[in-house]
Amino acid sequence: MEQLKTIGRELAMGSQGGFGQSKEFLDLVKSIGEARSKAEEDRIVLSEIETLKRRIVEPDIPRRKMKEYIIRLVYVEMLGHDASFGYIHAVKMTHNDNLLLKRTGYLAVTLFLNEDHDLIILIVNTIQKDLKSDNYLIVCAALNVVCKLINEETIPAVLPQVVELLGHSKEAVRKKAIMALHRFYQKSPSSVSHLVSNFRKRLCDNDPGVMGATLCPLFDLITIDVNSYKDLVVSFVSILKQIAERRLPKSYDYHQMPAPFIQIKLLKILALLGSGDKQASEHMYTVVGDIFRKCDSSSNIGNAVLYECISCVSAIYPNAKLLEAAADVIARFLKSDSHNLKYMGIDALGRLIKLSPEVAEQHQLAVIDCLEDPDDTLKRKTFELLYKMTKSSNVEVIVDRMIDYMININDNHYKTEIASRCVELAEQFAPSNHWFIQTMNRVFEHAGDLVKSKVAHNLMRLIAEGFGRRMILQIVESYLRIIGEPKLPSLFLQVICWVLGEYGTADGKFSASYVTGKLCDVADAYSNDEIVKSYAVTALMKLFVFEIAAGRKVDILPECQSLIEELSASHSTDLQQRVYELQAIIGLDAHAVECILPSDASCEDIEIDKNLSFLNDYVQQSLEKGAQPYIPESERSGMLDISNFRSQDQHEASTHGLREVQQAATVPSSSDTGSSEVKLRLDGVQKKWGRPTYSSSAASTSNSSSQNTVYEVTPVDGSSNVNSKAREASYDLKKTQVEISPEKQKLAASLFGGTSKSERRASSTGHKVPKGSSHVLKSTAGSTTDVLVEKTTPVQPPPDLLDLGEPTIKDGPSSVDPFKQLEELLDPTQLGSSANPGIVGSTSAPDIMQLYSDKPASGQSGGFMYPSSSNRSDDNLVSGLANATTDSAHNITAAAHPSQFSKGPNLKDSLEKDALVRQMGVTHQVKIPTYLKIC
Amino acid sequence: MIHFVLLISRQGKVRLTKWYSPYSQKERTKVIRELSGVILSRGPKLCNFVEWRGYKVVYKRYASLYFCMCIDQDDNELEVLEIIHHYVEILDRYFGSVCELDLIFNFHKAYYILDELLIAGELQESSKKTVARLIAAQDSLVESAKEQASSISNIIAQATK
């Protein structure tokens, strides 16, 4: 049947005669079409290539024939074979004056060549000539080639002509010239930077096609530099309005929609311009609202425009009505039967969720349906959404799901992505250390070769720095269990070896011979992985050293002995050296080895005695014996280059100074609050809390420095009354909060349980909080007040609020009034728990901040403070204020870089909203969307 | 931005390829093999989108032919789906109820039309009429050029007789 059709078509074509292909070519296409296998197809193509190679170099080929050869080359190349032998003929064809041949030549070179091909230089001349042609179609053809083939070096050769063409009488030429300039801009922004005004001019072109094309370069320009184009907001809005009102020619309609592609482009641009800019956004509200209303949601293109509207609405300064409209559209998308629309709905939900988290709750069932859907694309999109809405209350469910999914896919690209997301979420929100370790183990086990080595190093550091003894013991146990499994990823083995070496025998639960045996097994089993082997050898060395230091006799297992011998003859010098070091160290006495490898000291700062002062005696002796004094190399050679060294020294000194300043800043802050013991001195806290070397590790990923203060402050202060849970979950404040939180019931409930989106913000901003400032409680408390004053003046007299900073600590009652008012706004649990008048001042300090987070968070932190508050209100103050510091510090940064915080609503807005609500006497429910702007 | 356009038949045969981002011949073959594996095996009711190497591929099936376009993460999939449809409608108008065979034998025409629709990976013209007019103008110019050429050769032939 199909063959019959083919013949029919062929006959028809033959009668048309317009396409002018020879029988030979038609046969080729047909035989390719009938090829039953890829091998057969390849054979046909190869023989065709041979034929062409022979024929194309024959002298005096008729032009018609040559054109066909070129098209056959295109065909061969399209099927994935190399036709490079014919490129030069295609290039030659572009030189031809006959338009028919020239077009074919141009088509062929755009398909054959990349912009960095050597032959391009041969075409530039022709292009230059053709750009000047009287025939606009030739100019168009040349511009097509310009867009594809002109590279950074050849831009100057054609640029003046292309710019001239912007004023061409034919709109098709103007349009292509604009696109060519856009391409130039992408290739080399500097080459066209002086021509930007042309884009603005063309925006007012009479032809809608040219105007539409101009939006492409403008979109790129605006992406890079929003502020220079704010003046165009009005123009864009008026264009969009005209389109929406169908004032464009009918020919731009598409499925009854007025110029939808241009609308989409405009909405994208508006989203950029309106982001974080209230004034600009206000211009857009009406027109976007109109489009929401007018859009035909039954057609695909209508939905495309609607989706773009949602993207725009969630990017610009929030508007209640528009957000409502967007939520309606999302609901329609998610309820639709079409997978495409569901996909877009999930994506749109991910955009809107940062502004109105409650939308997600409405659709929890739909989201879960999508998660269970057999369609992989939809599933992944849903994971992306979950990733965006993860918080400490649902992290366990989400990450477990992600890992389950990760285990079952083969796509390495996506596996890497999802693994790194799991790690990120686990580090940010882990509810308990136990869970964290288990999760990391699973991720490493299944995707260990795909995650970055930085993640592994982070994990090692976390284990060494942040975990208590009991936790480490658990880790060691789990690693000893896992280590026997076959085919573990190299990176994971490195972590295991390091941890076992460092802590394998630390608790005395496992004997050294047991652990060393396991390590030897690893080194044996992965004998072609040198990195793992060197990790294993170093771990062995540490274990032996700890044995010697503890005064026990070292018994080296036979397999261990043979491993050492084998590796001492290894091809890798690194391995050899490690083994020789090991052998040398084993022979030393207890005192010496302890100096070389002190137990559990991986996180301690190493002090380097740069002056080598310990050699002074020796030098002195030698000098007395008549040795020559040492002359520095620079002086010896006479090349005095000391200035260089000196400046380096100075620089070093200054960085040290900085660090000291930081520490200095932290000390007074904590003593201010009345607990003189609290210092960020590393050695002091160490006994209780593992090794807090945070001051040196500025790049700590999951611990914000302010939270750090919190956890150090609490235990030391309340040493008589330390929350035992807090002691366990030492590495993140949030964890302690979550441990108190109730277990979630079902998946839906567990995914959408609370809406404490601010937690996420707090933690993500925590990284960005500048260290010095966040430590100083006084100053941050002050700035908290500033923010509050600014926003809440209508209701509360400023003086009271200003007192909030310090006086509240000593002088509770005076500051009670504003908080009493605020308490109406708090949720009931909070109210009930803050009933104790003695601590009102102290609790409400954090509470103010918690207005902006939601139920679970505030409830938990309340719970977190109470145990100690009953008898020690001072501690409470400290922790409370520290808590506030976290929030306020984040608050400040949020105000400073509003655009950075894509997640969660603008705090300023929410404050404003609160003020408004209070003004209007509306009872404030906790769940009220905090973004709303009354309008 | 659109990185490439692929037309693949249900049997996995390539009908048209247009690359807007640089890919070597080797990469092209790999991309085509990979994507045809993914796309052809997808069921009819699933999304028309596939996430692939950090990009998204939007595809649509017309009879036995799959039209695929590869776009960036933040592009609007539904819009691209409509760009595909836009292209198909223009092809349909040009060929008169287009079928796969038209594209097989006249793939260069399909390229010319695509060049009027997309340029450097962006949609340059959203009016079907404008595209159709341009293509028609080109065709007529080609015709006249052909006639001219033949008439000139006739004159020469006569002159040399």
Side-chain angles (χ1 to χ4, degrees), chain A residues 317-370:
Chain A
Y317 191 90
N319 172 292
K321 271 187 201 154
L322 290 181
L323 286 169
E324 213 171 282
D328 287 348
V329 174
I330 289 178
R332 213 160 52 219
F333 280 2
L334 286 173
K335 280 177 195 145
S336 143
D337 284 335
S338 151
H339 271 72
N340 286 350
L341 287 187
K342 277 188 188 164
Y343 177 94
M344 299 311 271
I346 294 279
D347 187 275
L349 196 55
R351 290 173 186 272
L352 205 65
I353 201 167
K354 55 193 172 189
L355 294 177
S356 40
E358 74 282 351
V359 181
E361 280 164 52
Q362 291 165 20
H363 301 298
Q364 32 185 298
L365 289 177
V367 171
I368 287 166
D369 279 351
C370 292

Side-chain angles (χ1 to χ4, degrees), chain A residues 9 99-100 175 300 340, chain B residues 48 82 89 102 125 141-142:
Chain A
R9 281 272 162 180
L99 178 65
L100 184 67
K175 184 176 68 195
N300 200 25
N340 286 350
Chain B
N48 293 58
E82 288 311 299
E89 280 184 356
D102 293 319
E125 183 56 73
L141 198 72
V142 169

Side-chain angles (χ1 to χ4, degrees), chain A residues 639-876:
Chain A
M639 302 276 282
L640 282 173
D641 201 12
I642 307 172
S643 58
N644 205 1
F645 287 104
R646 193 167 288 160
S647 68
Q648 208 173 351
D649 258 1
Q650 268 170 356
H651 177 71
E652 235 156 359
S654 67
T655 51
H656 275 286
L658 261 180
R659 194 190 281 181
E660 264 157 29
V661 169
Q662 267 180 18
Q663 287 201 350
T666 61
V667 174
S669 70
S670 40
S671 58
D672 257 3
T673 56
S675 55
S676 56
E677 305 155 67
V678 185
K679 285 169 194 162
L680 267 185
R681 288 271 305 281
L682 310 177
D683 37 352
V685 202
Q686 199 169 325
K687 290 165 217 144
K688 283 190 162 57
W689 292 95
R691 251 141 304 282
T693 50
Y694 296 108
S695 59
S696 59
S697 64
S700 147
T701 49
S702 54
N703 301 333
S704 78
S705 43
S706 50
Q707 281 167 348
N708 208 349
T709 335
V710 175
Y711 90 64
E712 277 164 12
V713 167
T714 352
V716 178
D717 277 359
S719 48
S720 60
N721 189 16
V722 177
N723 189 339
S724 66
K725 274 182 179 170
R727 185 194 285 258
E728 262 174 41
S730 53
Y731 108 91
D732 199 332
L733 174 66
K734 279 196 302 284
K735 289 183 188 171
T736 53
Q737 295 179 347
V738 174
E739 272 187 357
I740 306 159
S741 88
E743 278 308 312
K744 303 296 175 202
Q745 322 81 1
K746 287 176 187 167
L747 179 59
S750 52
L751 289 180
F752 300 88
T755 46
S756 58
K757 79 259 174 195
S758 61
E759 263 181 63
R760 182 185 175 109
R761 270 180 308 155
S763 78
S764 61
T765 50
H767 301 299
K768 288 155 200 150
V769 175
K771 256 191 171 190
S773 69
S774 66
H775 278 295
V776 189
L777 290 178
K778 208 179 184 177
S779 73
T780 37
S783 44
T784 317
T785 2
D786 286 348
V787 175
L788 280 170
V789 168
E790 198 185 325
K791 297 299 168 195
T792 54
T793 20
V795 199
Q796 284 139 358
D800 283 82
L801 276 168
L802 277 169
D803 281 343
L804 191 143
E806 277 173 288
T808 34
I809 300 172
K810 278 143 198 144
D811 190 20
S814 75
S815 62
V816 163
D817 272 347
F819 296 123
K820 274 272 163 63
Q821 292 183 9
L822 280 170
E823 269 164 9
E824 292 174 13
L825 311 170
L826 300 175
D827 70 296
T829 56
Q830 194 74 39
L831 243 170
S833 54
S834 59
N836 186 348
I839 54 161
V840 163
S842 59
T843 45
S844 43
D847 283 348
I848 295 167
M849 299 319 297
Q850 277 154 14
L851 275 176
Y852 313 107
S853 68
D854 299 303
K855 234 177 202 163
S858 49
Q860 283 151 18
S861 60
F864 173 65
M865 291 184 306
Y866 283 105
S868 51
S869 70
S870 52
N871 50 359
R872 282 193 165 227
S873 55
D874 264 3
D875 303 349
N876 207 359

Side-chain angles (χ1 to χ4, degrees), chain A residues 9 21 29 35 77-78 99-100 103 135 148 175 252 254-255 300 304 308 339-340 343 375 377, chain B residues 13 15 19 25 42 45 47-49 54 76-77 82 89 102 104-105 112 116 125 138 141-142:
Chain A
R9 281 272 162 180
Q21 289 128 334
V29 175
E77 181 105 351
M78 190 174 87
L99 178 65
L100 184 67
R103 261 182 91 208
N135 187 335
K148 167 78 184 172
K175 184 176 68 195
Y252 282 87
Y254 178 87
H255 293 209
N300 200 25
E308 210 53 61
H339 271 72
N340 286 350
Y343 177 94
D375 186 349
T377 310
Chain B
K13 285 186 177 136
R15 297 304 185 204
W19 308 86
Q25 187 67 263
R42 281 174 69 84
K45 286 224 160 166
C47 306
N48 293 58
F49 324 126
N76 182 339
E77 292 92 339
E82 288 311 299
E89 280 184 356
D102 293 319
I104 295 174
F105 288 103
Y112 287 135
E116 293 307 320
E125 183 56 73
Q138 283 169 4
L141 198 72
V142 169

Side-chain angles (χ1 to χ4, degrees), chain A residues 5-6 9 13 18-19 21 25-26 29 32-33 35 41 63 71 74-75 77-81 98-100 103-104 107 110-111 114 135-137 144 147-148 171-172 175-176 179 182-183 186 209 213 216 251-252 254-255 261-262 264-265 268 300-301 303-304 307-308 339-341 343-344 375 377-378 380-381 384 413-414, chain B residues 1 13-20 22-25 28-29 42 45-51 53-54 56 73-79 81-83 85-86 89 94-95 97 99 101-102 104-109 111-112 115-116 119-120 122-130 133-134 137-139 141-143 145-146 149:
Chain A
K5 248 163 75 188
T6 317
R9 281 272 162 180
M13 256 172 246
F19 300 129
Q21 289 128 334
F25 180 49
L26 293 178
V29 175
I32 292 282
E41 187 187 303
R63 291 191 297 198
I71 294 205
V74 171
Y75 190 67
E77 181 105 351
M78 190 174 87
L79 292 177
H81 293 264
N98 184 329
L99 178 65
L100 184 67
R103 261 182 91 208
T104 312
L107 176 67
T110 54
L111 292 169
N114 268 335
N135 187 335
Y136 80 99
L137 290 171
N144 275 347
C147 285
K148 167 78 184 172
E171 62 278 354
K175 184 176 68 195
K176 282 182 197 280
M179 298 304 275
H182 179 211
R183 191 66 172 172
Q186 286 174 334
C216 296
S251 71
Y252 282 87
Y254 178 87
H255 293 209
F261 297 108
I262 300 179
I264 288 173
K265 206 83 210 173
K268 278 186 175 160
N300 200 25
I301 189 68
N303 289 325
Y307 167 79
E308 210 53 61
H339 271 72
N340 286 350
L341 287 187
Y343 177 94
M344 299 311 271
D375 186 349
T377 310
L378 195 53
R380 289 183 186 186
K381 198 75 198 171
E384 202 180 304
H413 184 92
Y414 191 68
Chain B
M1 154 178 192
K13 285 186 177 136
V14 181
R15 297 304 185 204
L16 186 142
T17 57
K18 181 88 185 177
W19 308 86
Y20 294 106
Y23 288 86
S24 72
Q25 187 67 263
R28 291 176 183 188
T29 320
R42 281 174 69 84
K45 286 224 160 166
L46 307 183
C47 306
N48 293 58
F49 324 126
V50 177
E51 283 179 25
R53 293 202 208 161
K56 292 185 292 199
Q73 263 314 325
D74 48 356
D75 283 332
N76 182 339
E77 292 92 339
L78 288 179
E79 183 198 6
L81 210 54
E82 288 311 299
I83 292 179
H85 192 69
H86 187 47
E89 280 184 356
Y94 182 79
F95 286 104
S97 81
C99 80
L101 283 164
D102 293 319
I104 295 174
F105 288 103
N106 296 292
F107 58 90
H108 55 293
K109 301 271 175 190
Y111 276 122
Y112 287 135
D115 276 345
E116 293 307 320
I119 205 163
E122 303 278 356
L123 183 73
Q124 60 159 327
E125 183 56 73
S126 59
S127 157
K128 256 175 282 187
K129 214 184 208 164
T130 313
R133 213 184 313 130
L134 268 173
Q138 283 169 4
D139 278 354
L141 198 72
V142 169
E143 286 296 318
K146 228 187 290 176

Side-chain angles (χ1 to χ4, degrees), chain A residues 188-248:
Chain A
S188 134
S190 57
S191 66
V192 288
S193 54
H194 58 290
L195 298 167
V196 166
S197 61
N198 284 299
F199 294 135
R200 286 165 171 267
K201 232 182 280 162
R202 284 299 128 213
L203 191 62
C204 313
D205 200 284
N206 289 329
D207 183 70
V210 180
M211 182 271 292
T214 315
L215 298 177
C216 296
L218 282 174
F219 177 77
D220 276 12
L221 288 166
I222 294 171
T223 310
I224 291 164
D225 175 18
V226 180
N227 290 327
S228 315
Y229 296 89
K230 291 280 185 191
D231 56 316
L232 285 179
V233 170
V234 184
S235 322
F236 287 130
V237 167
S238 86
I239 295 172
L240 188 56
K241 194 153 166 266
Q242 289 175 43
I243 297 175
E245 287 167 358
R246 296 180 180 274
R247 289 211 242 139
L248 245 52

Side-chain angles (χ1 to χ4, degrees), chain A residues 438-481:
Chain A
Q438 271 192 331
T439 307
M440 292 307 260
N441 284 354
R442 283 182 77 196
V443 172
F444 272 103
E445 216 173 307
H446 297 286
D449 289 329
L450 299 172
V451 295
K452 292 196 189 90
S453 56
K454 205 179 138 210
V455 175
H457 297 157
N458 246 337
L459 177 64
M460 290 190 235
R461 213 194 53 226
L462 267 178
I463 291 175
E465 283 175 353
F467 292 149
R469 281 256 162 260
R470 265 176 48 202
M471 200 56 227
I472 288 179
L473 182 63
Q474 277 185 28
I475 297 169
V476 169
E477 275 172 13
S478 71
Y479 283 174
L480 282 172
R481 204 167 46 242

